[in-house]
Amino acid sequence: MVTLIITALLPVYIGLALGFFAGKRHLVDNQNVASLNVLLMQFALPLTLFVSIARTPQRVIIENGPLALVLAGGLLIVYLAVFYVQRRVYRLSLGDSAVQTLTIAFPNFASIGLPLLIPIFGQSAALPVAIAIAVGSITISPLTLALIEMHRAQENQHGQPASAARQFIVALGHSVQKPIFIGPVLGLVVALSGISLPAIVGTALGPMTSATAGVGLFLTGLMLSAQPIHLGSNVVFGTLVKNVIQPLVVLGLVLLFGIPWQIGVQAVLLTAIPAGFFGLVFGASAGLRPPVSGATLVVSSVLGAITLSLAIYVWAPAH
């Protein structure tokens, strides 16, 4: 089991450390990471998920249907609860609350999912990672975008803002047009149709897809290096919810709905992944950079070495 934990986590934290080192030493600009983010989110990751899912047998995809339900429940329950706390307890603005809530509720699937699960479950782990990203992309991501748009409308005082329902629908429409959503969906269409993906496709995309995990981890480390760390009760709260409570919520849903354990353990391990950077990316595009979100991202990622190790030890299948 110790070997399994090291195999799963060592590549993750080496990649994070290299990105962090490069940012701190100013070898790479850690303030302007838009280009690396585009490389990861619009090219490398969507292509990787497309190829991996398209190669997955139809039967395996159907069997993983309950995974989407459990992940959606776990993400939404935590999102709504955390947003309420941010607004009512910590009194953050609407926009800052949205950024902080997404930072906590949306694990870093994009960067850590593949390098974490592949050593444990093999190449088939690309499917649950794709499902996790897709679920977050059509649930809590557009909800966050809608809240940020509401915040901007209120700040700019451009008359009466559109209804929350309309803003959510517009944001949802935008999210499903993104490559990070289209890639997995196209892969699902190919796999469910029974079409065999030509080997030449995987070969042609190989140089790009093989770089996905490394780029994702490096980018996350780079972003961590630019975040100030000011510990406070909100940071502690966010880290506790993300690293401990969210996987326990998902575990409860797995047991409640009688989800097969092979699927359930993947859901638990995925939601045990530390906080993600989507909240900071969404916020930066609107001029929102709440320090608490950066600190939460850093602390959650650092403590994730301990909490992820415990999660793997307790729930990962023995090899």
Side-chain angles (χ1 to χ4, degrees), residues 26-304:
H26 304 291
L27 301 175
V28 181
D29 187 354
N30 61 6
Q31 297 294 328
N32 300 294
V33 297
S35 295
L36 278 176
N37 188 57
V38 168
L39 171 62
L40 176 67
M41 303 303 293
Q42 297 194 35
F43 293 96
L45 186 56
L47 289 173
T48 298
L49 297 176
F50 166 74
V51 172
S52 299
I53 296 173
R55 288 175 168 174
T56 304
Q58 184 184 77
R59 172 187 56 82
V60 176
I61 291 179
I62 294 174
E63 289 175 352
N64 278 271
L67 178 64
L69 175 64
V70 170
L71 287 173
L75 267 58
L76 283 168
I77 289 172
V78 170
Y79 189 96
L80 295 175
V82 170
F83 183 76
Y84 179 85
V85 171
Q86 298 306 312
R87 292 290 283 164
R88 300 298 182 183
V89 177
Y90 292 106
R91 303 291 182 179
L92 296 186
S93 69
L94 185 62
D96 285 355
S97 293
V99 172
Q100 173 67 349
T101 300
L102 190 67
T103 300
I104 296 169
F106 201 159
N108 200 352
F109 297 139
S111 297
I112 300 179
L114 288 174
L116 173 68
L117 291 194
I118 285 178
I120 300 173
F121 299 101
Q123 292 300 319
S124 63
L127 180 61
V129 173
I131 291 172
I133 293 172
V135 167
S137 297
I138 63 175
T139 55
I140 58 178
S141 286
L143 180 57
T144 301
L145 291 172
L147 292 170
I148 290 175
E149 285 301 316
M150 291 172 64
H151 171 84
R152 294 176 67 178
Q154 293 173 3
E155 290 293 309
N156 295 331
Q157 296 181 345
H158 287 163
Q160 186 68 23
S163 68
R166 176 174 174 77
Q167 291 182 34
F168 178 79
I169 292 173
V170 171
L172 181 61
H174 290 163
S175 70
V176 299
Q177 297 176 38
K178 295 182 182 298
I180 194 64
F181 178 80
I182 294 174
V185 169
L186 288 179
L188 283 172
V189 171
V190 172
L192 291 175
S193 67
I195 298 174
S196 178
L197 188 70
I200 188 63
V201 175
T203 301
L205 298 177
M208 179 64 70
T209 58
S210 63
T212 300
V215 172
L217 292 170
F218 187 89
L219 174 60
T220 302
L222 195 61
M223 294 185 70
L224 290 177
S225 71
Q227 303 303 317
I229 304 177
H230 302 292
L231 291 178
S233 62
N234 201 356
V235 175
V236 174
F237 166 77
T239 302
L240 178 63
V241 170
K242 173 75 266 328
N243 291 32
V244 179
I245 295 178
Q246 190 175 46
L248 292 179
V249 168
V250 170
L251 176 62
L253 294 175
V254 167
L255 297 176
L256 177 64
F257 292 107
I259 303 298
W261 186 238
Q262 175 71 10
I263 295 175
V265 71
Q266 292 175 342
V268 172
L269 290 177
L270 280 168
T271 47
I273 290 174
F277 56 81
F278 278 18
L280 292 172
V281 171
F282 290 171
S285 64
L288 296 169
R289 302 175 185 271
V292 66
S293 299
T296 300
L297 180 63
V298 172
V299 175
S300 174
S301 297
V302 171
L303 292 184

Side-chain angles (χ1 to χ4, degrees), residues 13-28:
Y13 283 93
I14 289 295
L16 291 174
L18 289 174
F20 188 87
F21 174 80
K24 282 297 185 184
R25 295 297 300 270
H26 304 291
L27 301 175
V28 181

